Amino acid sequence: MSQRAAIQKVWDGMIPIELQLAAADAIELLASAVLPDPFQTFYMLIPRINYLPFITGRVKEQWLDPMLALSGVRAVDGMTINESDIWFEYNGQPLRWHYPAGLLYDMLVSNVAHGEPELPWSLTLHVRKFPVRKLIPQPSTQQMRDMFMAMIKEADFIRNGSTKRVMDLAKSDQMQLLDGLEAHSFEKYYAIHSIIVPLHDAKAVVVSSGSKARSGLPKAIPLKFYMLSGQEDVKDSTQPDISLFHVSQLPVPLTKEGSEPMTVADAFRLSYEITDTSGNAFITNCACLCQGITIPWETPITWLTDSLFYADCFLHLVVVNVK
């Protein structure tokens, strides 16, 4: 399989979700916690690599608006729904809309690492009382597009030591990248992504540092680890609390001393400054998830970043206790 084909398979990854309107919101909108047929539940597929603000338009257009129309609720009655007021919740936890959907799923669905994913993913949708203390307020497609460009620039700086590749994009290219992401069009997105992150020969990593620049390899890997604090005290049945995840971000070099490829375990030790043997025991008791896949700790980090990156060009790795 070509590298492009592998990237597209990751791009095509979906999560089936089941949405239910929060009872309090239903009462405010319809004067009843029971929604009319056939609007009690809304099902859809969402891309793993994409963001919640890019699906709220579909949810509103295909579910909420027809439900209000059927119920006879009119905008003049003050019962309108703005996309920027919509937020999602899982088991009582507001979902951070600027995180990719697949990352949220890997962080919060506790049995993913055990091969027992929750499908469909059951979420509660809210249209009132936005939790401004827990989420960045007023999510919208435009705000998500702006934040995404900032993430792309950050990844570019980590990879190349500057944001030149992104900043040199024509305005039309930037718009195509964002349109491709929002519409989940691989062809549109990948045409511009391949300019920002050109393909390279993974075998070229095992080279001297002096030849890296000539080979076009990145200076470092944009990578973030997400690890639940106090994992040794967390039981399998415990619902992970997203606010307790520690996020470690450190530019990870491609190779270790001696030009050996950097592995996922090496990157984890580097990110958390683990130098003693107790760290090895901890790693043995944990699984590393990326794109819903349990990644062997000995996987070369360059292979991972070429194959399982998210749309923002970062590797988002979730570390969970499985013992």
Side-chain angles (χ1 to χ4, degrees), residues 50-51 53-54 97-98 136-155 166-167 171 174-175 177-179 181-182 311-312 314:
N50 225 320
Y51 300 87
F54 292 150
W97 56 265
H98 58 293
I136 299 173
Q138 296 188 323
S140 66
T141 55
Q142 186 55 54
Q143 188 173 5
M144 188 65 249
R145 288 164 75 103
D146 292 342
M147 291 186 70
F148 180 78
M149 286 305 300
M151 298 172 195
I152 285 283
K153 292 174 184 176
E154 182 182 2
V166 175
M167 298 302 292
K171 184 66 175 179
Q174 294 184 32
M175 294 302 293
L177 181 75
L178 293 168
D179 290 345
L181 176 67
E182 183 176 345
D312 60 3
F314 273 87

Side-chain angles (χ1 to χ4, degrees), residues 67-240:
M67 178 179 63
L68 293 181
L70 181 67
S71 303
V73 176
R74 301 171 299 166
V76 294
D77 299 324
M79 293 295 106
T80 58
I81 297 175
N82 299 315
E83 288 186 26
S84 60
D85 293 330
I86 294 176
W87 55 284
F88 299 82
E89 178 186 71
Y90 175 64
N91 285 352
Q93 299 189 67
L95 297 184
R96 297 178 179 179
W97 56 265
H98 58 293
Y99 280 20
L103 172 61
L104 290 169
Y105 184 82
D106 292 348
M107 293 172 71
L108 295 176
V109 179
S110 57
N111 286 331
V112 173
H114 298 278
E116 301 173 359
E118 177 187 336
L119 297 175
W121 192 19
S122 183
L123 304 179
T124 301
L125 183 133
H126 295 261
V127 296
R128 294 290 188 266
K129 297 181 179 178
F130 194 93
V132 293
R133 293 186 177 182
K134 294 185 176 181
L135 299 179
I136 299 173
Q138 296 188 323
S140 66
T141 55
Q142 186 55 54
Q143 188 173 5
M144 188 65 249
R145 288 164 75 103
D146 292 342
M147 291 186 70
F148 180 78
M149 286 305 300
M151 298 172 195
I152 285 283
K153 292 174 184 176
E154 182 182 2
D156 189 28
F157 185 85
I158 293 171
R159 291 181 67 89
N160 302 302
S162 76
T163 59
K164 181 175 174 57
R165 288 183 186 271
V166 175
M167 298 302 292
D168 284 351
L169 291 175
K171 184 66 175 179
S172 59
D173 289 339
Q174 294 184 32
M175 294 302 293
Q176 178 176 328
L177 181 75
L178 293 168
D179 290 345
L181 176 67
E182 183 176 345
H184 197 60
S185 169
F186 179 76
E187 297 300 331
K188 282 186 176 181
Y189 169 86
Y190 188 74
I192 308 304
H193 169 85
S194 59
I195 298 173
I196 302 172
V197 186
L199 298 180
H200 64 263
D201 183 1
K203 296 179 181 179
V205 173
V206 188
V207 292
S208 68
S209 58
S211 61
K212 283 182 185 177
R214 292 193 300 272
S215 68
L217 293 171
K219 296 177 181 293
I221 302 298
L223 180 151
K224 295 181 183 180
F225 280 106
Y226 301 77
M227 186 171 67
L228 193 61
S229 300
Q231 288 214 45
E232 62 277 3
D233 300 322
V234 176
K235 299 179 181 179
D236 289 345
S237 60
T238 302
Q239 166 64 40

